Amino acid sequence: MSFSISDIPVDPTALRADLLHEASGAYVSFEGWVRNHNEGQAVEALEYSAYKPLAEKEGHRIIAEAIERFGIESAACVHRIGPLSIGDIAVWVGVSSPHRGAAFDACRYIIDETKARVPIWKREHYQSGKTEWVNCHTEIKT
Amino acid sequence: MSFSISDIPVDPTALRADLLHEASGAYVSFEGWVRNHNEGQAVEALEYSAYKPLAEKEGHRIIAEAIERFGIESAACVHRIGPLSIGDIAVWVGVSSPHRGAAFDACRYIIDETKARVPIWKREHYQSGKTEWVNCHTEIKT
Amino acid sequence: MPDSGRELLTMKFSIEYFALLKDQRGCSSETLETDAATPRDLYVQLAEQYAFSLPPESLKVAVNEEFADWNHSLNAGDTVVFIPPVAGG
Amino acid sequence: MPDSGRELLTMKFSIEYFALLKDQRGCSSETLETDAATPRDLYVQLAEQYAFSLPPESLKVAVNEEFADWNHSLNAGDTVVFIPPVAGG
């Protein structure tokens, strides 16, 4: 069980190897890739930043909740920070479990909760030259 | 879009690379690993066999259904045949999609339908020395 | 053996065996001539001859590499495969 | 500036800024002495001073590396972080 914030590229092959267990029959992984567009705008690059100590604490809580709730064998999540390019892995989640239903449900829970609760922010750089902190623009009251 | 029956080890890294698309932000994969037990019996090894032409036809239909139904970008599935050992990948499914909900749903659909519909059989070799075609024993009427 | 009173209408079929049926038949494929008109007739004959343990309701059937109905009318030269309960994944 | 009529009860806090708040503040952390008794008081003061565009109801707040209530009673030396809408994944 682990959750980490990483400023180096995510290596799914190595992370997957840590979840191998002889008793587990099912492995589900999720990767969030940097897309070349978002809500109609062409994205050239982006960066993530995090409030690392709280992000890792909240992430550990999410993993613990998933293990408790779905009865999975083990799970891990890594979220990148720093500048990323199109196609880079922004976030990776892996779950191993005796049964596939629990593995799917837990993997989805972890990514959904991570996106909702973990203090990580994304700034997108558009082809137009503009940059924007995602989710912060529409909140402005003027 | 592809479904194949393979008599050589599954390479998730290579298969994943084929699903990378600049427009896709979500990737979900499933792996079924050979477990060291099944329904209380210690499993030493197992083998899969398939009725290959029909298995690949039915598998292609499942992939096409998933693309149609969930609006994903692309998907693939590979199922091993031949002798396998504990920890080997028996089946791999990968899905890429603009959105993660569709990727999870499609991945689960493909593995569920593959297990239910594709003519592939599993013989387990137990530590007791016995072997058994899974799902065939309980069907016997005597 | 099939009822010899109906030997007038016989056809040749290819049959492939998989998994438990292959073990119980002792071979993976054969060609045979029979008066069976449907997959159901054919399975009943073979099950009796080789003591197949799987009841037909636990099987599916494929004709010429496509799933088919048990009451499908067979044609001479068809390849018939009886599909034991699957266990992929 | 804070109301100088309440300057009797001031405390020092460390504040860290992230994302849009860091850009709008122009620095990533600072220590300041203020009469704010709760994170809500503190954000109102800072938002006015630095023209933060995010309303407090869009933020969460953390005190000493744990999520906290907006009405939490601050202690001298606390580290306070205002958390803009997150966008991980």
Side-chain angles (χ1 to χ4, degrees), chain B residues 38-116:
Chain B
N38 189 19
E39 291 176 8
Q41 291 199 80
V43 174
E44 285 211 318
L46 54 74
E47 58 182 292
Y48 283 98
S49 66
Y51 177 27
K52 193 168 174 175
L54 184 55
E56 293 191 333
K57 272 188 204 172
E58 189 71 355
H60 279 292
R61 281 192 283 257
I62 290 168
I63 302 270
E65 289 162 14
I67 289 173
E68 163 86 15
R69 187 179 294 214
F70 301 105
I72 56 175
E73 176 81 21
S74 57
C77 178
V78 179
H79 203 296
R80 270 297 298 282
I81 53 171
L84 276 76
S85 304
I86 308 301
D88 283 349
I89 297 174
V91 59
W92 175 92
V93 181
V95 172
S96 66
S97 167
H99 300 289
R100 71 185 186 285
F104 276 107
D105 292 342
C107 190
R108 190 158 187 172
Y109 179 83
I110 292 167
I111 185 60
D112 286 352
E113 295 297 305
T114 295
K115 288 173 77 91

Side-chain angles (χ1 to χ4, degrees), chain B residues 109-129:
Chain B
Y109 179 83
I110 292 167
I111 185 60
D112 286 352
E113 295 297 305
T114 295
K115 288 173 77 91
R117 292 163 49 185
V118 176
I120 297 172
W121 301 276
K122 173 163 64 171
R123 174 147 59 182
E124 292 184 332
H125 299 250
Y126 305 110
Q127 268 177 8
S128 63

Side-chain angles (χ1 to χ4, degrees), chain A residues 48 50-51 53-54 57-58 61 79 90-91 115-123 133-136 139-141, chain D residues 16 18-20 23-24 53-55 57-58 60-62 64-67 79 81-89:
Chain A
Y48 283 97
Y51 176 28
L54 184 54
K57 272 188 202 171
E58 189 71 356
R61 281 191 283 258
H79 202 296
V91 59
K115 288 172 78 90
R117 292 163 49 185
V118 176
I120 297 172
W121 301 276
K122 173 164 62 171
R123 173 148 58 183
W133 288 102
V134 174
N135 291 347
C136 286
E139 307 285 341
I140 296 176
K141 281 185 184 172
Chain D
E16 292 182 44
F18 292 92
L20 185 60
D23 292 352
Q24 293 183 337
S53 60
L54 293 165
E57 58 269 27
S58 75
K60 290 185 176 179
V61 63
N64 301 333
E65 301 187 355
E66 267 307 344
F67 290 111
T79 296
V81 177
F82 299 105
I83 298 172
V86 303

Side-chain angles (χ1 to χ4, degrees), chain A residues 95-132:
Chain A
V95 172
S96 66
S97 167
H99 300 289
R100 72 186 186 285
F104 276 107
D105 291 342
C107 190
R108 190 158 187 173
Y109 179 82
I110 292 167
I111 185 60
D112 287 351
E113 295 297 306
T114 295
K115 288 172 78 90
R117 292 163 49 185
V118 176
I120 297 172
W121 301 276
K122 173 164 62 171
R123 173 148 58 183
E124 292 184 333
H125 300 248
Y126 305 110
Q127 269 177 7
S128 63
K130 282 199 316 178
T131 71
E132 189 172 296

Side-chain angles (χ1 to χ4, degrees), chain C residues 33-49:
Chain C
E33 186 156 354
T34 161
D35 65 349
T38 66
R40 187 179 304 280
D41 296 345
L42 184 56
Y43 187 75
V44 167
Q45 292 176 4
L46 293 165
E48 188 179 320
Q49 188 168 359

Side-chain angles (χ1 to χ4, degrees), chain C:
Chain C
M1 297 299 288
D3 174 359
S4 58
R6 295 162 57 207
E7 287 289 311
L8 299 168
L9 291 163
T10 63
M11 293 185 285
K12 270 195 179 168
F13 303 115
S14 295
I15 305 174
E16 292 181 44
Y17 297 102
F18 292 93
L20 185 62
L21 291 176
K22 180 176 163 185
D23 292 352
Q24 292 182 339
R25 175 60 187 87
C27 74
S28 59
S29 66
E30 67 178 324
T31 302
L32 59 78
E33 186 156 354
T34 161
D35 65 349
T38 66
R40 187 179 304 280
D41 296 345
L42 184 56
Y43 187 75
V44 167
Q45 292 176 4
L46 293 165
E48 188 179 320
Q49 188 168 359
Y50 301 111
F52 291 163
S53 60
L54 292 165
E57 58 269 26
S58 74
L59 305 174
K60 289 185 176 179
V61 64
V63 176
N64 300 334
E65 302 188 354
E66 268 306 343
F67 290 111
D69 193 88
W70 282 95
N71 298 319
H72 178 82
S73 288
L74 292 172
N75 295 310
D78 281 349
T79 295
V80 181
V81 177
F82 299 104
I83 297 172
V86 302

Side-chain angles (χ1 to χ4, degrees), chain D residues 33-68:
Chain D
E33 187 157 352
T34 160
D35 66 348
T38 65
R40 187 179 304 280
D41 295 345
L42 183 56
Y43 187 75
V44 167
Q45 292 175 6
L46 293 165
E48 189 178 318
Q49 188 168 0
Y50 301 110
F52 291 163
S53 60
L54 293 165
E57 58 269 27
S58 75
L59 305 174
K60 290 185 176 179
V61 63
V63 176
N64 301 333
E65 301 187 355
E66 267 307 344
F67 290 111

